[in-house]
Amino acid sequence: MGVDYYNILKVNRNATNEDLRKAYRRLAMLWHPDKHRGDKQIAEARFKEISEAYDVLNDPQKRAIYDENGEEGLKGTAPSGSRRATSYSAASRGQNNFQFNARSAEDIFAEAFQNEIDSEYMPRSKPTRLQTEGTNSQGVNVGAASKAQKAPAIERKLVCSLEELYKGSTRKIKISRNVIISNGRYVPQSEVLVIDVKPGWKKGTKITFPRMGNEEANMIPADIVFEIDEKPHALYMRAGNDLVVHLKISLGEALGGTTVKLQTLDDRELTVQLANIVSPGYELLIAKEGMPIAREPGNKGNLRIKFDVIFPSSLTEEQRTGIKNILQC
C-alpha cells in the first residue's frame, strides 16, 4: 500500500482546504527541524512527509489523482501491468499529461504561513545540511543522527468478518505512543488510526502507517503495519475471489428438484432453483455472486454451491420396490 496522506495530516477524506491548512500548520510547527536540533534527521524526514501530504491534498488536481490511484498513480511508480499503473495513465491523459513534481518542504512551509511566522523558521539563504560527522551550524553533534536506524516494523493482525471484506468498512484503532517534544522530553500521545477496508481485500493484505511507533532519540520511529485476517464464517468459505457453500439435500430433493434460499453477505435473499438431478459431489456455479475483486471495481468472483446428498438410512420393502421400478423405466 502507498503512503496515506490523509493519515499523515490526521484529517478525514472529506477535509476542506481550510481543514488541511490548519492541520498542516499545527504539525509543521511541531516538527520543524529547527525545533529538533538534537535529533534533526528524524524531524526533517517527518517535516518533509507532512509538507508533501499537504502539497498533494491542497492541490485539486493532485488530490483527484491521488484519491483515485494512490501515491503510486500520482507519482507514476506503480509496477508495469498493474491496475494502478493503467489507471494512472488514464488519469494523466485526462489531466493534460499531469506530471508530479515534488516541491521543497521549506517552500511549502513559507507559502502556508505567508510571513506570519518568525524568521527563526524561514528558509535560510544557505540551508543547513546534515553532516556525517562533527557538529552542525548550531554546534550540535549530528554524527549519531546521520546514522539513525529505523526501528523494526510493529505488525498487528486486523481481523475482519467476511461481510466487512465483502461490503467494505471503516475501522478506527486507537493507539498510544511516546513522542519527543521540543525540549527533548518524552510525552504520551494518543492517535486514532483510520483504515478504510476496501471491498475484496484478502487475508494477508497489509496497511502501513509510516513512522507511527514510539519516538526515540537517534532512531527513526517504526512503521505500524496491520495485516488483514479473515474471521471464519458460519456458511461461506472464501476461495480466492469465489465463495463456496456446502448444502445438504435429501435424496428425494436431489432426484425430484427443489428450491434453496441463501442469505448473501450483503443481506440479499438469493433463490436457487434446482431443476436437474443432483448427484453426490455436484457443484453449481452462479456467476458474479462471489467476492468483489479489489483491483476490478464492479466485478465479482463466482458462488460455488456444493451439494451433499443425504441418503435414507432405511427403506420399507414397498419403498424399495417402488424406487426400483421408477429407476428402471
Side-chain angles (χ1 to χ4, degrees):
M1 305 295 291
V3 173
D4 187 341
Y5 289 137
Y6 290 97
N7 181 65
I8 288 172
L9 293 181
K10 309 304 176 193
V11 296
N12 61 44
R13 291 185 171 269
N14 298 320
T16 64
N17 281 5
E18 181 62 20
D19 295 333
L20 295 169
R21 191 177 73 89
K22 289 179 180 178
Y24 171 74
R25 286 162 62 101
R26 176 177 60 82
L27 291 170
M29 290 298 290
L30 179 64
W31 283 102
H32 196 285
D34 286 349
K35 297 183 73 173
H36 298 266
R37 290 171 180 168
D39 201 3
K40 199 167 184 178
Q41 187 180 42
I42 295 172
E44 283 184 337
R46 192 67 185 275
F47 183 65
K48 181 180 178 181
E49 184 180 63
I50 292 163
S51 299
E52 180 176 306
Y54 175 68
D55 188 46
V56 169
L57 299 183
N58 196 48
D59 183 306
Q61 186 182 23
K62 293 178 184 177
R63 185 173 181 176
I65 295 172
Y66 172 75
D67 284 345
E68 183 176 354
N69 303 292
E71 181 195 15
E72 299 97 331
L74 180 70
K75 298 180 179 179
T77 57
S80 174
S82 73
R83 186 164 184 85
R84 281 195 181 276
T86 303
S87 298
Y88 171 70
S89 298
S92 297
R93 290 193 294 272
Q95 297 288 341
N96 298 321
N97 294 321
F98 170 84
Q99 183 174 1
F100 178 80
N101 292 308
R103 294 201 297 152
S104 159
E106 289 288 4
D107 287 347
I108 296 167
F109 182 77
E111 182 181 289
F113 284 86
Q114 296 181 342
N115 301 324
E116 298 175 28
I117 56 177
D118 296 335
S119 59
E120 176 187 358
Y121 301 115
M122 294 300 289
R124 298 168 175 80
S125 57
K126 294 183 178 180
T128 301
R129 295 182 180 273
L130 286 174
Q131 304 162 23
T132 57
E133 57 185 34
T135 60
N136 64 13
S137 60
Q138 286 78 38
V140 178
N141 189 312
V142 295
S146 66
K147 299 176 183 178
Q149 299 294 312
K150 187 169 185 178
I154 301 168
E155 298 192 357
R156 297 286 184 269
K157 294 288 186 181
L158 182 66
V159 181
C160 298
S161 67
L162 207 49
E163 286 85 354
E164 287 179 294
L165 297 174
Y166 185 93
K167 296 183 286 188
S169 67
T170 298
R171 300 286 291 272
K172 296 182 178 181
I173 303 165
K174 186 174 182 180
I175 66 167
S176 180
R177 65 193 190 111
N178 293 327
V179 299
I180 304 173
I181 59 177
S182 57
N183 62 6
R185 289 193 304 112
Y186 293 89
V187 296
Q189 177 176 295
S190 294
E191 302 270 1
V192 177
L193 306 181
V194 179
I195 299 176
D196 291 322
V197 177
K198 305 298 184 186
W201 275 5
K202 297 179 180 179
K203 179 178 180 178
T205 299
K206 291 186 177 182
I207 307 96
T208 301
F209 292 87
R211 301 186 180 95
M212 290 300 293
N214 288 329
E215 294 178 1
E216 300 178 45
N218 301 321
M219 286 288 288
I220 299 173
D223 295 344
I224 297 182
V225 181
F226 291 93
E227 182 177 342
I228 297 293
D229 198 3
E230 292 180 6
K231 186 184 299 182
H233 194 271
L235 179 62
Y236 295 101
M237 289 190 300
R238 185 176 186 174
N241 294 319
D242 291 348
L243 287 173
V244 180
V245 61
H246 289 264
L247 293 181
K248 293 182 180 181
I249 58 174
S250 68
L251 179 59
E253 291 172 325
L255 296 175
T258 187
T259 299
V260 296
K261 294 184 178 181
L262 294 171
Q263 193 77 15
T264 64
L265 294 174
D266 57 349
D267 299 321
R268 293 177 290 116
E269 187 176 80
L270 184 64
T271 301
V272 180
Q273 184 72 40
L274 294 177
N276 298 326
I277 292 176
V278 177
S279 57
Y282 175 77
E283 181 176 307
L284 177 65
L285 187 146
I286 302 177
K288 297 188 181 299
E289 283 292 349
M291 293 294 293
I293 301 175
R295 293 181 177 272
E296 300 177 22
N299 200 9
K300 293 181 180 178
N302 302 316
L303 173 62
R304 292 153 46 191
I305 305 176
K306 297 185 177 184
F307 292 93
D308 294 327
V309 179
I310 307 302
F311 283 71
S313 58
S314 62
L315 293 172
T316 65
E317 217 33 65
E318 183 180 356
Q319 289 172 325
R320 287 175 182 272
T321 301
I323 291 173
K324 186 181 294 185
N325 290 336
I326 292 171
L327 296 180
Q328 284 177 344
C329 63

